[in-house]
Amino acid sequence: TGSYFLPFVSLIILGLIVVFAFQIFDYFRQKQLQALENKAAIKVASGRAEMKIWGVEQWTNAVDGSILNEGDAVRTSPGSRVVLSLLNGTTARLSSETEVELTSLKSQDYQDEAAFSLKKGALWVKKSEKEGVKVTLKVETPHLEVNSIGTVFDVTFDQNETVHVLDGKVRAIIKVEDTDGKTMRIADSLDVGLGQEVRLGQADINELKERRPVDLLAVLSDEFRASEWYVWNKNEDLTGKSAVAVSDAVNQQQQTVTVTDKLPEVAGAQVPEVIPVVQEITQAVMTVLCTPEIFSPKETERTSKVGTFMVSGKVCNGTQKVEVSTTINGKQEAYFLQKYKPGSESWNYTASWEYRNLMPGENKIMITAIDKDGKRSDPANLTLVYDKPKEPADLSAPTVSAFNGSESSEVDVDSVLVTGKIGKGIAKVWINDFLLSQYLMDSGKWSYYAKTSYGNLKDGANEYSIYGMDLDGNKTPVTKFYITKKAAPVKVPEVPATEPVVPAAPAETPAPAPAKTEPTTTPQI
């Protein structure tokens, strides 16, 4: 018996050691996994961004590797973009001048579940491509709620509230104010499939408030497909290069905290104030691009009465893209030079009144170099002055030329293109207090779409008022025009052809028997 006792005890002890070792390993694995759960990592793909922690009103700089938790918010500056990454690879990308609050976040092993409140701008959301990961996403704007399970879609909130579906299908719920003016009610619910969009404007909201039907579903617009935002996101969907893994962000934060733990002993600073400073210094050290140089026009040639400037300069050979940021009508717009070749040291840009990227007066322009990792150089600043001779605007009343190419304003279709003319020097044009965004100053012509889906074309007579305004705020007289939409003819169901029905002949009745009479005889003579 003694010869088997020690081996038996040894096997038991060895088994216990293996079990304990596995439990210790599993404990640390679970602890490491828990440190990554319910977090979103930030990558500043271009420009500058800020973040706000839940319960704190102050915004702070967001840098690569910053972490968002449920209830936190992030916003981008003009010309900037940010990528948010969840644990399993689901990403959400913010466009320029976009603000998003992370209202809900549950990101665990094989599950990414998040809800975003889009305050303004555009948000492109892409599901994780890892097999077996369940992705549930929701994006909300004031009147639109988009719910998806494992899809790719974009939600834009500017003048309209729009959802574009690039893969799969989403459920779009439309909400409007109820009659009490306090609560929101569901006015419509739509399934939006691949290649479709829902665009919700103020006219549509007003119609839905009145409980009138509105056709909101449409094919993905060519304007959206041609946008630089769409092209950039499609490229990111393929490469995924502008993203930071949650694990890398957590490790970076832990390392930063370890370094800054020693700093208070030396400098007496508080740790919460030091961490962002260390991150900003790290980011600044990683930025190696030089500021672009401007060769032309020279300082003495940056004021001209001619409405075109040819701008050229030099960048470092590590430049991947050159961004030109201009301010047009008070709004900053960023543009990537399409003809610039990555790695080239020279770049060219045309600022012209004809292209509408040069306005009368002072034009401030910033040129920024961007490398393959999205790092940005310090911008080069350029001021061009277009000394356009001021001519009095033609404030004559606008005229109407055609309705779908015809002089007749009576239609029986659901979409009417109205075109007309307006005087030179008119900067803006309104129809029924709607600003025509496609109108070009000094073009002398305007166009306007009246559609049933837009809510600005209904059956019967429709009245429209158009007027223009010059740069000094002077208005033209108001011109009124009308479109009469005939109601669609009511289709009468066809009756299937049948054999003609011949009424049955009445039954014959026997003729009455003639009355008996005495025979008539002729008297003989």
Side-chain angles (χ1 to χ4, degrees):
T1 304
S3 60
Y4 290 103
F5 180 73
L6 288 177
F8 179 72
V9 172
S10 299
L11 288 174
I12 293 177
I13 294 174
L14 182 61
L16 291 174
I17 292 174
V18 172
V19 171
F20 288 148
F22 177 78
Q23 289 180 340
I24 292 172
F25 171 78
D26 187 62
Y27 168 78
F28 283 106
R29 189 183 71 85
Q30 291 292 336
K31 187 174 181 181
Q32 183 181 16
L33 185 61
Q34 289 175 0
L36 306 179
E37 291 177 348
N38 305 331
K39 292 179 176 62
I42 291 178
K43 168 72 174 182
V44 182
S46 62
R48 181 176 175 272
E50 295 178 313
M51 58 184 289
K52 184 174 70 171
I53 307 301
W54 181 84
V56 178
E57 293 301 321
Q58 183 180 2
W59 290 86
T60 59
N61 286 337
V63 296
D64 294 350
S66 296
I67 291 176
L68 291 180
N69 295 286
E70 184 175 285
D72 297 346
V74 60
R75 67 185 182 187
T76 58
S77 301
S80 305
R81 284 175 185 167
V82 160
V83 181
L84 303 181
S85 306
L86 305 188
L87 177 61
N88 297 292
T90 298
T91 55
R93 305 188 194 102
L94 285 71
S95 183
S96 170
E97 297 182 87
T98 297
E99 182 178 341
V100 170
E101 180 182 346
L102 194 56
T103 55
S104 176
L105 178 59
K106 186 178 181 182
S107 185
Q108 300 174 343
D109 201 13
Y110 292 99
Q111 179 184 7
D112 280 344
E113 182 178 328
F116 303 90
S117 176
L118 180 60
K119 310 297 183 183
K120 63 176 181 177
L123 184 69
W124 183 294
V125 186
K126 180 183 181 295
K127 64 181 180 180
S128 169
E129 293 186 347
K130 292 182 180 179
E131 188 175 354
V133 176
K134 182 180 179 181
V135 180
T136 305
L137 300 165
K138 180 169 72 173
V139 179
E140 289 185 286
T141 59
H143 299 94
L144 188 63
E145 177 184 315
V146 181
N147 297 276
S148 88
I149 298 179
T151 59
V152 181
F153 63 97
D154 167 85
V155 179
T156 301
F157 178 24
D158 42 30
Q159 293 179 347
N160 303 309
E161 298 168 58
T162 312
V163 54
H164 309 94
V165 179
L166 294 311
D167 183 54
K169 182 174 67 175
V170 304
R171 170 62 61 89
I173 299 174
I174 316 299
K175 299 179 181 180
V176 297
E177 291 181 356
D178 210 342
T179 52
D180 59 7
K182 298 178 181 179
T183 59
M184 302 290 285
R185 63 174 177 85
I186 296 178
D188 203 352
S189 180
L190 302 167
D191 286 332
V192 191
L194 170 65
Q196 293 182 321
E197 69 178 27
V198 167
R199 185 183 300 270
L200 186 66
Q202 188 57 52
D204 304 316
I205 295 171
N206 294 337
E207 290 293 302
L208 292 171
K209 284 182 180 180
E210 299 296 328
R211 299 183 184 273
R212 299 191 186 102
V214 180
D215 185 13
L216 298 172
L217 196 61
V219 177
L220 208 62
S221 67
D222 293 336
E223 180 184 1
F224 177 72
R225 289 181 182 275
S227 66
E228 199 274 330
W229 169 245
Y230 172 87
V231 174
W232 181 76
N233 276 286
K234 293 297 289 184
N235 181 62
E236 288 296 322
D237 285 349
L238 293 175
T239 63
K241 61 182 182 181
S242 295
V244 172
V246 172
S247 57
D248 294 338
V250 171
N251 291 336
Q252 173 182 314
Q253 190 179 63
Q254 291 174 346
Q255 292 172 3
T256 305
V257 171
T258 302
V259 171
T260 55
D261 280 342
K262 301 178 181 179
L263 293 178
E265 301 175 4
V266 178
Q270 296 181 358
V271 174
E273 297 177 354
V274 174
I275 291 176
V277 174
V278 172
Q279 291 176 333
E280 289 179 14
I281 293 174
T282 302
Q283 187 184 37
V285 171
M286 294 175 64
T287 304
V288 295
L289 289 177
C290 56
T291 302
E293 296 181 55
I294 300 174
F295 293 156
S296 66
K298 298 179 180 179
E299 290 282 353
T300 57
E301 301 172 347
R302 295 178 183 179
T303 298
S304 174
K305 295 184 181 296
V306 180
T308 299
F309 289 90
M310 304 302 295
V311 186
S312 64
K314 178 182 177 182
V315 291
C316 297
N317 55 15
T319 301
Q320 186 76 9
K321 293 186 291 185
V322 176
E323 180 188 85
V324 177
S325 179
T326 59
T327 302
I328 305 296
N329 293 329
K331 183 179 179 182
Q332 191 172 22
E333 298 180 1
Y335 172 79
F336 293 105
L337 299 184
Q338 300 297 315
K339 294 184 179 180
Y340 173 77
K341 295 181 179 180
S344 174
E345 293 187 358
S346 61
W347 57 270
N348 297 278
Y349 174 69
T350 302
S352 175
W353 165 249
E354 182 180 354
Y355 299 158
R356 293 304 186 268
N357 59 357
L358 183 75
M359 303 301 290
E362 191 176 83
N363 296 261
K364 293 187 178 297
I365 302 174
M366 294 191 303
I367 300 97
T368 306
I370 304 173
D371 69 9
K372 63 179 182 179
D373 297 322
K375 300 299 181 184
R376 303 168 64 87
S377 71
D378 292 332
N381 296 302
L382 173 67
T383 300
L384 300 176
V385 179
Y386 177 25
D387 188 11
K388 185 176 185 291
K390 189 172 183 180
E391 301 175 0
D394 180 1
L395 295 175
S396 57
T399 60
V400 182
S401 302
F403 305 86
N404 280 344
S406 171
E407 293 183 359
S408 175
S409 62
E410 292 188 2
V411 299
D412 56 2
V413 293
D414 294 332
S415 177
V416 181
L417 173 61
V418 188
T419 57
K421 297 181 180 179
I422 199 165
K424 292 284 186 178
I426 300 302
K428 297 179 181 180
V429 179
W430 283 269
I431 293 184
N432 285 3
D433 294 326
F434 174 79
L435 179 63
L436 301 187
S437 59
Q438 300 300 318
Y439 169 75
L440 295 178
M441 182 176 175
D442 279 348
S443 63
K445 57 186 179 180
W446 58 268
S447 62
Y448 174 73
Y449 266 109
K451 291 186 178 183
T452 55
S453 60
Y454 291 171
N456 58 357
L457 181 64
K458 302 175 184 177
D459 290 343
N462 297 263
E463 180 179 316
Y464 304 88
S465 298
I466 176 173
Y467 67 92
M469 179 186 294
D470 66 10
L471 290 172
D472 296 326
N474 300 312
K475 296 181 180 179
T476 69
V478 175
T479 298
K480 289 189 177 182
F481 63 92
Y482 300 85
I483 299 176
T484 303
K485 183 179 183 299
K486 300 176 182 178
V490 179
K491 293 184 179 180
V492 179
E494 298 180 359
V495 179
T498 58
E499 293 294 331
V501 179
V502 179
E508 294 185 3
T509 56
K516 291 184 179 183
T517 59
E518 292 294 331
T520 301
T521 59
T522 304
Q524 296 182 0
I525 300 177

